[in-house]
Amino acid sequence: MAQMNMKEAIRDAMRVELKRDPNVLLFGEDVGKVGGVFRATEGLQAEFGEDRVFDTPLAESAIGGLAVGMGIQGFRPIAEIQFVGFIYEAMDQMFIQAARMRYRSGGRYNSPIVFRTPFGGGVKAAELHTDSLEGLAVQTPGIKVVIPSNPYDAKGLLISAIRDNDPVFFMEHLNLYHAFRTEVPEGEYTVEIGKANVVREGSDVTIIAYGLMVHTAVKAADELEKKGIKAEVIDLRSLVPLDIDTIVASIQKTNRAIVVQEAQKTSGVAAEVIAQINEKAILHLEAPVLRVAGPDTVYPFAQVEDAWLPTVARISAAVQKVLDF
Amino acid sequence: MSKVLSKLPYEVQTEPVTPLSVLSLDGEVVNPDEMPELTDDQLKEIMYRMVFTRTWDDRAVNLGRQGRLGFYAPVSGQEAAMIGSEYALNKDDFICPGYRDIPQLVWHGLPMYQAFLYSRGHQHGGQIPEDVHVLMPQIIIGAQILHATGVAMAFKKKNEKRVAITYTGDGGSSEGDFYEGMNFAGAFKLPVIYVVQNNGYAITTPYAKQTAAHSVAHKALAAGIKGVQVDGMDVLAVIKAVRDAAERGRNGEGATLIELLTYRYRAHSMADDTTKYRTKDEEAEWAPKDPLIRFGKYLESKGLWSEEDTTRVKEEAKATVNEQIKKAEAVEKMTVEGLIDSMFETTPQHLEEQKADFK
Ligand SMILES: Cc1ncc(C[n+]2csc(CCOP(=O)(O)OP(=O)(O)O)c2C)c(N)n1
């Protein structure tokens, strides 16, 4: 098995699928010759040719719409939106047109598209490059939303996304691209979309997270362990569909939970997770489920980013609060 | 068999255009009719600003490498486009810039230390002083084009003899916002100038992959506004074109799209490597068009500039940049509480509560 970082794993997933299925296409701004601003697609144009892997003009709505049009003609586009803040330009095509193609055509057409985009804070990028905009996608019926937290999952989930006959919004955390390497199998394998992963077992409290926050949550759990508190950490992996069963099973054991997200607090993924916990597991709870999230401001300029993002200390404090309730 | 017409009588034709130049590569006036009216002092001022800006750009790149600046998009090569176009404006004309257009902002009145603060990711960088008529640099490519269109409509409705100017690149001219803005300006006959600095690349994507249009200037045709192509390495041609466009705007004659053919010597931003997508030949082809050399030769021939002037301005620029970066570094750091209070005129209760997490 090879050791890969998350970026290499993502590239490998695309390579495997470009090779396997001639209908898979990859396009976006600067993805071709130089392989993208993060080199996530490096070498793919050289390997598969300009017909399959190509640069587009600078126009996100057109990138999204091109994917929709090609999708209904039998291609399986992987469309890259260069940075997350630019999805607004493509939102009509991604979240309205692609997401309701199956519905509008009564199943005659579908959108077998993956929209890939990097996001995620802590890298001091320019404005609108790092915001956690998954909540917008999650509010959109008809599109799946996947956020991997490690190289193994990233490759397996991306292959699943490419093979999925519905549109998938695949978000890649900037701070995880090069963070660490893990064993990643060569060739094909899939990780099922819609299945959460219990990354750390514990009996006192459940910490639910996704993306980079899984790692912050694990660090917090390590800290808590020193105080004798055993936290279970769940990596959601996909936000739509949401694996509520794994969450409920955990809460039945721990009776307490918190949800961690980088995104602003109000009406986000954490709020949805808590609503579903209330619907399915309220009698198992010993305390209200708390959120650790960014405050309801715009994603801040670089200067205050580190203070703004959820920290180990804030997660630990929230855990302490639900334990002391 | 009917004859196949190479050109159908009803086919819309557009011929390639010839860009406007005033100076030759040797700094001789080749197009005296288009020479903008400028006093000797003004000519020297323009050169001063270009040399200053080149030095400042060099310093900024170094400061970036030292981690004293954050996001920064280099400008060397584009001085004639940036400085000439700003110089052609009145102080109360309004600038809606893209992320690279920091020099225009500073020469229009934004204190340099604030430009540095913006780069360092500090909110105060965008707190534009009352008497400076600019927006902070826009990150979303194309968004500023629509803002300029709105500002121009406001000027028109208020009967003010002011124009709005906005900048983007050849890449930006592919965005939907670009077409939508120009189309509005045509339909409402607005006093706005759309400047496209065509430096041949959008990050790594070359012009030929960006559009099949002969020129960006042609894109004005469909919007029903005036479109011109200008040698963007020739500061006098730039000034002439922008002055004309501003005059047309002020006279109620509507909008202009100005394509400035230019070149940036450095990479798109601090992060990419030009050797992966540009050739040495291409760089060599652009080198003699350098706006500083060319305009410098012209001024030297008139006895208005010398090597010593360049040295003096460089020293002055270095000293200013040093002083301004120190000033930026001395500004108090932002806090999350301050950020929360900047969201609404009166901070609502739920946000007041959220401050508790950041005490
Ligand atoms: C809506 C949007 N899409 C993509 C980007 C990322 N991006 C930043 S600069 C750039 C290329 C811009 O090229 P051009 O307009 O030609 O200007 P230049 O940098 O060459 O001056 C891209 C794709 C962005 N900032 N905004």
Side-chain angles (χ1 to χ4, degrees):
Chain A
M1 253 194 264
Q3 290 276 327
M4 290 186 201
N5 64 28
M6 197 171 94
K7 183 177 82 181
E8 290 158 353
I10 284 167
R11 185 194 298 147
D12 202 44
M14 290 189 277
R15 176 182 294 122
V16 165
E17 289 303 283
L18 280 160
K19 208 168 194 166
R20 190 187 61 85
D21 181 350
N23 288 317
V24 173
L25 299 175
L26 168 64
F27 53 81
E29 292 156 16
D30 304 291
V31 301
K33 192 164 180 186
V34 293
V37 289
F38 295 105
R39 311 286 180 262
T41 57
E42 194 164 39
L44 297 179
Q45 186 178 72
E47 189 172 345
F48 296 100
E50 266 201 74
D51 237 25
R52 310 272 314 278
V53 178
F54 55 93
D55 287 330
T56 65
L58 207 181
E60 292 75 16
S61 184
I63 292 170
L66 191 76
V68 171
M70 301 212 65
I72 62 176
Q73 287 299 321
F75 286 94
R76 306 187 76 84
I78 307 170
E80 181 179 296
I81 303 295
Q82 195 164 63
F83 281 99
V84 73
F86 317 151
I87 68 165
Y88 290 102
E89 307 291 306
M91 264 168 72
D92 173 44
Q93 293 301 331
M94 295 194 313
F95 296 166
I96 300 180
Q97 308 305 335
R100 38 173 74 205
M101 186 56 78
R102 182 182 297 284
Y103 159 78
R104 290 184 72 220
S105 66
R108 172 68 179 83
Y109 297 121
N110 62 333
S111 298
I113 305 165
V114 183
F115 297 105
R116 289 180 45 240
T117 195
F119 83 109
V123 293
K124 306 256 175 2
E127 206 186 346
L128 280 157
H129 283 59
T130 46
D131 307 41
S132 292
L133 300 181
E134 65 276 12
L136 299 172
V138 165
Q139 264 261 306
T140 303
I143 187 163
K144 296 180 180 176
V145 184
V146 175
I147 300 183
S149 70
N150 61 69
Y152 177 89
D153 282 358
K155 180 172 170 184
L157 285 165
L158 183 52
I159 291 177
S160 292
I162 295 167
R163 295 180 187 181
D164 201 298
N165 285 329
D166 288 306
V168 178
F169 190 52
F170 195 90
M171 300 178 71
E172 303 163 8
H173 201 292
L174 282 164
N175 226 346
L176 290 175
Y177 270 153
H178 305 120
F180 57 92
R181 287 171 189 277
T182 60
E183 300 264 292
V184 174
E186 316 268 347
E188 303 176 27
Y189 69 92
T190 57
V191 171
E192 190 184 344
I193 295 175
K195 283 270 175 286
N197 185 22
V198 179
V199 293
R200 190 182 206 281
E201 304 233 2
S203 51
D204 298 332
V205 61
T206 303
I207 307 177
I208 300 155
Y210 53 94
L212 181 72
M213 285 300 119
V214 172
H215 302 278
T216 314
V218 168
K219 276 185 208 138
D222 289 343
E223 291 293 307
L224 291 162
E225 176 118 53
K226 291 180 197 155
K227 295 190 209 158
I229 301 163
K230 294 193 174 61
E232 179 146 306
V233 179
I234 296 179
D235 175 0
L236 290 177
R237 292 202 286 211
S238 97
L239 309 181
V240 177
L242 183 75
D243 182 4
I244 190 66
D245 295 347
T246 297
I247 296 169
V248 167
S250 177
I251 288 172
Q252 283 172 349
K253 188 168 68 170
T254 63
N255 310 115
R256 290 178 166 82
I258 66 163
V259 191
V260 187
Q261 67 179 23
E262 276 184 51
Q264 291 83 344
K265 191 169 189 176
T266 298
S267 301
V269 171
E272 174 58 26
V273 170
I274 294 170
Q276 291 202 30
I277 291 172
N278 282 338
E279 286 167 4
K280 303 220 162 126
I282 196 150
L283 295 178
H284 295 282
L285 289 176
E286 299 282 350
V289 183
L290 297 184
R291 282 172 287 182
V292 180
D296 293 336
T297 70
V298 293
Y299 190 93
F301 290 117
Q303 288 253 321
V304 279
E305 208 176 15
D306 290 340
W308 190 93
L309 288 165
T311 54
V312 168
R314 282 179 60 208
I315 294 172
S316 302
V319 165
Q320 205 62 59
K321 228 168 165 177
V322 298
L323 288 169
D324 294 346
F325 183 75
Chain B
M1 280 275 286
S2 67
K3 195 172 143 224
V4 178
L5 294 171
S6 62
K7 280 183 188 173
L8 299 166
Y10 46 83
E11 186 183 336
V12 177
Q13 299 292 327
T14 56
E15 303 303 332
V17 290
T18 310
L20 167 68
S21 289
V22 173
L23 293 178
S24 71
L25 295 192
D26 297 325
E28 278 158 24
V29 177
V30 287
N31 202 351
D33 292 350
E34 303 288 354
M35 181 75 185
E37 245 176 67
L38 292 160
T39 64
D40 285 355
D41 280 346
Q42 286 178 315
L43 290 170
K44 285 197 277 189
E45 174 68 15
I46 293 159
M47 186 63 183
Y48 174 91
R49 291 185 182 195
M50 291 208 292
V51 174
F52 189 105
T53 304
R54 174 74 54 92
T55 308
W56 156 24
D57 189 57
D58 291 344
R59 292 291 300 139
V61 169
N62 278 331
L63 291 170
R65 293 203 179 109
Q66 294 165 27
R68 293 170 77 189
L69 283 184
F71 174 77
Y72 180 75
V75 301
S76 286
Q78 296 188 208
E79 292 89 349
M82 293 176 160
I83 282 140
S85 60
E86 192 282 329
Y87 200 80
L89 304 172
N90 292 340
K91 266 290 156 240
D92 68 348
D93 291 334
F94 199 100
I95 300 181
C96 297
Y99 57 87
R100 200 182 296 281
D101 304 306
I102 310 284
Q104 296 96 304
L105 300 185
V106 170
W107 293 117
H108 212 58
L110 179 74
M112 189 186 274
Y113 86 96
Q114 282 194 277
F116 290 153
L117 277 173
Y118 169 76
S119 172
R120 289 165 60 86
H122 195 297
Q123 206 171 20
H124 179 58
Q127 259 175 338
I128 310 292
E130 280 290 335
D131 56 344
V132 180
H133 306 288
V134 305
L135 275 181
M136 67 190 305
Q138 179 56 246
I139 293 295
I140 298 301
I141 293 184
Q144 73 276 20
I145 295 166
L146 302 175
H147 304 156
T149 309
V151 168
M153 182 179 266
F155 290 161
K156 183 169 172 159
K157 286 204 183 299
K158 293 194 283 187
N159 258 321
E160 292 177 4
K161 293 257 174 251
R162 300 165 72 183
V163 298
I165 188 167
T166 185
Y167 296 86
T168 192
D170 41 316
S173 81
S174 296
E175 288 280 5
D177 285 358
F178 178 77
Y179 300 97
E180 295 182 28
M182 286 200 304
N183 192 53
F184 269 47
F188 294 112
K189 235 178 191 221
L190 302 177
V192 55
I193 305 170
Y194 302 104
V195 175
V196 172
Q197 297 178 71
N198 181 354
N199 58 24
Y201 290 91
I203 307 193
T204 69
T205 305
Y207 181 77
K209 290 229 161 82
Q210 198 61 245
T211 176
H214 279 317
S215 74
V216 173
H218 277 99
K219 298 188 180 190
L221 284 176
I225 68 172
K226 195 177 177 96
V228 297
Q229 192 185 52
V230 178
D231 178 343
M233 305 296 262
D234 176 351
V235 73
L236 295 176
V238 174
I239 292 174
K240 166 73 172 146
V242 178
R243 273 191 181 171
D244 284 356
E247 198 179 305
R248 285 166 39 76
R250 282 188 239 285
N251 290 341
E253 292 165 55
T256 308
L257 166 63
I258 302 177
E259 177 186 16
L260 300 177
L261 299 174
T262 178
Y263 199 69
R264 62 175 151 81
Y265 299 142
R266 288 199 176 87
H268 159 73
S269 70
M270 302 291 291
D272 67 317
D273 170 8
T274 55
T275 60
K276 294 221 161 108
Y277 56 94
R278 296 208 302 219
T279 62
K280 284 262 169 287
D281 283 355
E282 180 186 285
E283 287 173 10
E285 190 188 315
W286 279 92
K289 298 182 186 163
D290 189 297
L292 272 59
I293 298 176
R294 202 158 154 193
F295 188 56
K297 282 183 185 164
Y298 169 68
L299 292 190
E300 276 168 32
S301 75
K302 289 174 65 96
L304 294 174
W305 200 263
S306 67
E307 200 53 43
E308 292 79 73
D309 289 315
T310 299
T311 312
R312 171 181 55 83
V313 179
K314 278 187 180 165
E315 289 312 314
E316 214 175 299
K318 277 185 206 157
T320 307
V321 169
N322 276 349
E323 166 207 304
Q324 294 286 306
I325 187 76
K326 281 192 191 128
K327 188 167 173 188
E329 284 166 345
V331 172
E332 211 178 312
K333 278 224 155 63
M334 286 175 71
T335 63
V336 176
E337 282 161 285
L339 173 71
I340 287 175
D341 283 332
S342 72
M343 295 311 299
F344 294 99
E345 188 171 12
T346 312
T347 301
Q349 186 55 32
H350 75 283
L351 276 172
E352 284 295 350
E353 284 167 16
Q354 288 182 15
K355 285 185 195 170
D357 286 338
F358 300 94
K359 284 257 153 68

